[in-house]
Amino acid sequence: MANSGSNLCPANSGHSRPELESCLLRISNDCTQCQLCVKECSFLQTYGDPKTIATEYAPNFEKFQQLPFQCSLCELCTAVCPHDLNPAQLFLEMRREAFGRGKADFPQHRVLRNYEKIGTSKLFTWYALPDGCNTVFFPGCALTGSRPETTLELYRYLQKHLPALGIVLDCCSKPSHDLGNHVRFNNVFNELKNYLSANGVKTVLVACPNCQKVFNEYGTGLTVESVYQRLDGLPLPKTDNIAEKVHLHDPCVSRFYGTTQDAVRSLLKKKGLQLSESSHSRKTTLCCGAGGGVSCLASERSRNWTTKNIDNADAQRIVSYCASCTHVFAAHSSTGHLLDVVFQPQKILNGESTEAKAPLTYFNRLQVKNKLRRSTTSGTRTRERQIGDRSGTGFPVKRVAVVMFLILIMLAVGKIALI
Ligand code: SF4
Ligand code: SF4
């Protein structure tokens, strides 16, 4: 869309993406500066309402190369806007513009980029599609690493009800998406999506709300369903119930997924829990602090979101259905994952930690893969992905895995020596 006919964005010349131009024009023209979104967000309180940012935007100014990476892409602004504007999309487009100009290669993002490269590598990926498979379980990197037993238990449980259910251990590439590298995101995600479609997969069951959003927005031709919805329609595993009041947190990426939100509430109630929710739940839920990789460049802003959530929980145990949110909150408050409640409530009742932390998470992912590989039945199509190795990343995944393994052995020996 050309900018002719409107002089509202005089500083906008010089950017190359029509999608960005479209967002800038819409917000410049339609934002009434009502400040409803600003009231909710410290990023906007610092830089001004969306109209101010859109009209001042100039891609060559240094300010605008860092600025969009301080927005969590959480879409709370989108949820509260009375004019259906989407400032989060504007900031994502600004990220893509900065990345395309080579101005967004921040060293602080290396940890996120490497996380994805490891997740999409030959060493860490595993696809197992049994004969007749048209549905796969996609647990996501964070759940598999932090809760390997629960991941396998959930898969086995779903398999009882869907015998031809396949499994895919892979990364949905949301880090590349959120960091503005849409070329890598499109290449890597489309390769995954095309492989599934070409092999007869019609439905993807996702456990991670981030994967759910990615598959939902970009997985054309695939039906996406959260495992919580599926579990809610099945008889639950027989375990102890936790009869206590907990604070439920909806991940920000799930804010527009009402069906998933309903299923989560139903599951928790079936397990005997009483739920408390703040006014910031469902559509107006708050980012945990990890959204959009903001903690890499603006740790204060990220902590601000985390603190708001902890305050809203009012000292009650927090339950979330995103392994990343759960990890963030667990550093500050007693926190459990919904799947802990469904499969391992005893751990929560005993106050035991239910999640593993890095670097153990990487080891866990390899272990899950090995267990799945060993239990593969004949007639199952399997693969390890090669795209990460061919994408020119040059990231030494195997060397990192060997080093991690040696560290783990040293830790284990140290523990034994101490005993
Ligand atoms: S997406 Fe979230 S962090 Fe970004 S401007 Fe909107 S409310 Fe603020
Ligand atoms: S809520 Fe909508 S109209 Fe109001 S300031 Fe934010 S973007 Fe503009």
Side-chain angles (χ1 to χ4, degrees), residues 37 41 43-44 70-78 87-88 91 305:
C37 57
C41 170
F43 162 74
L44 295 174
Q70 296 195 31
C71 157
S72 302
L73 306 176
C74 72
E75 298 185 312
L76 180 55
C77 46
T78 312
F91 300 123
W305 287 117

Side-chain angles (χ1 to χ4, degrees), residues 285-298:
T285 190
L286 302 178
C287 169
C288 68
V294 167
S295 57
C296 302
L297 282 181

Side-chain angles (χ1 to χ4, degrees), residues 27 30-38 44 49-51 77 80-87:
I27 289 188
D30 296 346
C31 170
T32 58
Q33 300 184 291
C34 71
Q35 308 297 310
L36 281 176
C37 57
V38 180
L44 295 174
D49 58 63
K51 179 173 186 139
C77 46
V80 300
C81 180
H83 303 291
D84 288 332
L85 298 177
N86 190 348

